[in-house]
Amino acid sequence: MRGGRGSVAVLLLLAVVVNLPLLHQAWQHRQLDRDGRDVTAEVTDADVLRADSADPVYVVRFRLPESVDPTGQTWPADVDRAIYDHAERTQELAVRVLPGKPGTQQVAGATGSSLGYVVIGVVDAIVLALGLLLWAHRRRGRDDDRDEPATLAG
């Protein structure tokens, strides 16, 4: 049994779907760099998660100015210690936001987890391995066809 074009198409579709979050994030960063507006957000709360551990997580919750987010939604962000201390002291946070899209934002000093990148990398490696196995299987099938003696029908 040979893997057909359908198998290749499925692998390509899987690779695109797996990488969509990464592509979307890159596109949002590009939009923020190009069209983003720097604003000062009001800090509504600040917490330290896992305070007793060697790797605490500093979280601030903030509200964007009404001109940017008329709904007054509260947004969370994981930040580094210096930004956390500053935000707790001043009750302000520097945020770059895309006008008309308050959910597209970048907090100064935000920290992020690399877990998403690791998961995408692992799945990409699996898709690549499957693609290589499919290629090797198809190539072996072509080589087997050449080794068979030609027969006359009739």
Side-chain angles (χ1 to χ4, degrees):
M1 175 191 217
R2 289 188 200 180
R5 291 180 193 206
S7 300
V8 173
V10 168
L11 286 176
L12 288 175
L13 179 64
L14 183 60
V16 168
V17 169
V18 166
N19 288 286
L20 272 178
L22 186 63
L23 295 172
H24 184 255
Q25 182 183 27
W27 180 62
Q28 282 186 328
H29 281 294
R30 183 175 177 270
Q31 281 187 307
L32 281 169
D33 288 343
R34 190 184 60 204
D35 301 325
R37 183 174 136 208
D38 293 321
V39 298
T40 300
E42 170 195 355
V43 173
T44 59
D45 195 17
D47 293 314
V48 180
L49 306 177
R50 298 188 322 234
D52 297 337
S53 76
D55 189 24
V57 177
Y58 301 97
V59 180
V60 293
R61 288 174 188 76
F62 61 93
R63 191 172 293 126
L64 294 167
E66 190 175 330
S67 61
V68 176
D69 183 11
T71 64
Q73 183 173 344
T74 301
W75 302 91
D78 295 356
V79 296
D80 61 30
R81 175 71 189 260
I83 296 297
Y84 174 84
D85 289 342
H86 181 264
E88 194 174 41
R89 187 175 57 254
T90 64
Q91 295 298 301
E92 292 182 344
L93 188 64
V95 180
R96 187 164 183 90
V97 64
L98 195 61
K101 295 184 179 179
T104 304
Q105 55 186 254
Q106 189 173 22
V107 175
T111 60
S113 171
S114 59
L115 179 62
Y117 297 117
V118 171
V119 170
I120 289 172
V122 167
V123 175
D124 280 344
I126 291 169
V127 170
L128 179 62
L130 289 172
L132 290 172
L133 285 171
L134 179 63
W135 175 75
H137 179 71
R138 290 178 73 179
R139 184 178 171 132
R140 191 174 343 113
R142 273 190 251 132
D143 290 344
D144 290 345
D145 288 346
R146 279 190 231 138
D147 293 341
E148 292 179 13
T151 59
L152 295 174

